[in-house]
Amino acid sequence: MLAFAALAATAVLVAGCQTGAGSDADAEAKATGEGLVIGWTQRGISGSDWWKTLVEGGQAEADAIGASIEMLDANGDTVRQNADVQTLITKGVDVVIMNPNDPIGVAPSVQALADAGIPLVTVNSNLDESLIPDMFCYVAEDQEYTGSLAGEVAANKALEKFGDSGEMKIVGIGGFPGDVLTDLRFNGFMEGWEAVMAEHPGVETTKLETKYGEWKPDKALAPIRDVATANPDLKIVYSMSDVMNGGVSSGLQQAGLWGDGIILSSYDGGMVSVKEMLDDPTGPLQATASNQPWDQGATAVKMALAAYNGDQSACPDKTLFIDTTVVTPDNAADYYVAEDTYVRALD
């Protein structure tokens, strides 16, 4: 019996050594991405081509490096998202990518991941400032800068169309009052506009009160129709999401302003907008600034791998803005890909 016990102990020891060796080998492979298990908690997918494209970009990058993704959709429910994170922790994922539904409401998840020693990457939406210390990296587009690209194009197109003197009225339409996205995108637009107009003192810019369309085309129609009716000399409309453009154009048409007298500049880089400029290069739509969800998703997976490896140099300031662009009638052919929903970075 003593001999059997000794033999059994030896067997356990050998098995333990083999398991340890296997774990070391697994960790070495995962450091390259091969076999890495990424938990992804998404605030929503259904009904949004943007979120769908974000996830597809992440999956494509995971496939490229040999990683797998455990995807859970919170469907706009913060309580559910917190439960999803607990599920991912229980499954033993190596790293988590989170598209937070609520910047402070996910605090329990952030703490749970920190306690479990699982690195966290956020994408598209950031965490509350108080939670940043427990996050490896936030991946998104720089919305002010991207908005400024649309503003620069709108200003130059306005100078070409209306000349370099006189009043130019601008109205922006965003999501909701107090919405951070609206403020960032519109502030950026005006920075780009004013940078160009600083060289043209003969132009008087009149910025009308911002309108809100709840990021929906049907909700954007009435506010734009009303402001255009009240301001028949309106020159520039900035739609802070391509999704609203259908309602914006309908509102302008109902007010009798759709045509040569209006410049429409937009934000999102939606392929529908790119196609519109390709088909009608002299039409009202003259710019869409891209936020490239595919590239955001792919970059988030790259940061997940860096997080697993503890390589903070990949995201030294805990924020990584992807490179964005602005599509105009002049370069629309370069960015148009019929099967895509949103513009991607050019190879």
Side-chain angles (χ1 to χ4, degrees):
M1 290 181 64
L2 289 173
F4 177 78
L7 181 60
T10 302
V12 169
L13 179 61
V14 171
C17 292
Q18 288 175 341
T19 301
S23 298
D24 290 343
D26 287 346
E28 187 175 339
K30 287 180 179 181
T32 68
E34 189 67 38
L36 185 71
V37 181
I38 301 170
W40 189 315
T41 169
Q42 178 64 23
R43 61 173 168 159
I45 299 175
S46 177
S48 170
D49 286 337
W50 200 96
W51 283 337
K52 180 182 176 183
T53 304
L54 174 77
V55 169
E56 288 174 347
Q59 186 62 63
E61 180 62 25
D63 291 343
I65 64 174
S68 63
I69 292 179
E70 291 276 351
M71 177 67 63
L72 295 176
D73 179 10
N75 198 28
D77 185 337
T78 304
V79 173
R80 179 173 171 178
Q81 186 162 47
N82 284 325
D84 286 347
V85 170
Q86 289 296 332
T87 298
L88 293 173
I89 292 171
T90 301
K91 286 187 173 184
V93 299
D94 297 307
V95 60
V96 165
I97 294 173
M98 177 188 292
N99 182 194
N101 189 61
D102 183 299
I104 191 66
V106 296
S109 292
V110 175
Q111 185 61 56
L113 289 168
D115 292 343
I118 299 174
L120 172 63
V121 172
T122 58
V123 64
N124 177 226
S125 300
N126 205 355
L127 300 172
D128 183 79
E129 187 175 347
S130 64
L131 303 176
I132 298 298
D134 290 321
M135 177 193 72
F136 177 81
C137 187
Y138 165 53
V139 176
E141 89 276 20
D142 184 338
Q143 298 193 58
E144 280 200 57
Y145 168 73
T146 304
S148 75
L149 298 178
E152 289 175 9
V153 171
N156 285 310
K157 295 291 184 179
L159 291 169
E160 292 175 13
K161 183 180 287 289
F162 307 122
D164 61 355
S165 64
E167 183 183 29
M168 294 191 191
K169 288 186 177 180
I170 296 174
V171 68
I173 182 160
F176 298 89
D179 186 347
V180 174
L181 299 185
T182 295
D183 293 342
L184 289 173
R185 294 178 184 188
F186 193 58
N187 291 343
F189 179 88
M190 291 308 302
E191 287 177 11
W193 173 276
E194 290 166 357
V196 173
M197 291 306 177
E199 303 297 321
H200 301 274
V203 174
E204 178 187 352
T205 300
T206 300
K207 184 173 64 173
L208 301 178
E209 182 182 355
T210 301
K211 303 301 175 184
Y212 301 95
E214 301 179 18
W215 308 117
K216 297 176 181 178
D218 58 323
K219 297 293 185 180
L221 191 157
I224 288 297
R225 180 192 60 211
D226 293 347
V227 73
T229 301
N231 296 272
D233 55 347
L234 180 66
K235 294 289 190 292
I236 311 294
V237 177
Y238 175 44
S239 171
M240 286 167 247
S241 173
D242 285 346
V243 175
M244 296 189 291
N245 285 0
V248 169
S249 63
S250 294
L252 291 170
Q253 288 171 20
Q254 292 180 17
L257 291 189
W258 186 253
D260 290 340
I262 283 286
I263 289 174
L264 173 60
S265 187
S266 190
Y267 190 108
D268 270 348
M271 205 57 68
V272 171
S273 295
V274 177
K275 184 67 161 59
E276 181 176 341
M277 289 186 288
L278 195 60
D279 292 343
D280 187 12
T282 62
L285 182 60
Q286 290 293 304
T288 179
S290 67
N291 56 17
Q292 297 159 225
W294 179 281
D295 299 308
Q296 289 192 40
T299 302
V301 169
K302 292 177 182 178
M303 289 304 100
L305 178 58
Y308 177 78
N309 288 320
D311 181 12
Q312 194 66 63
S313 67
C315 188
D317 299 321
K318 295 201 171 188
T319 297
L320 182 60
F321 290 137
I322 64 167
D323 292 331
T324 52
T325 189
V326 60
V327 182
T328 71
D330 297 329
N331 64 5
D334 296 332
Y335 287 95
Y336 182 66
V337 179
E339 58 268 25
D340 286 353
T341 310
Y342 288 90
V343 164
R344 302 188 202 179
L346 294 178
D347 293 333

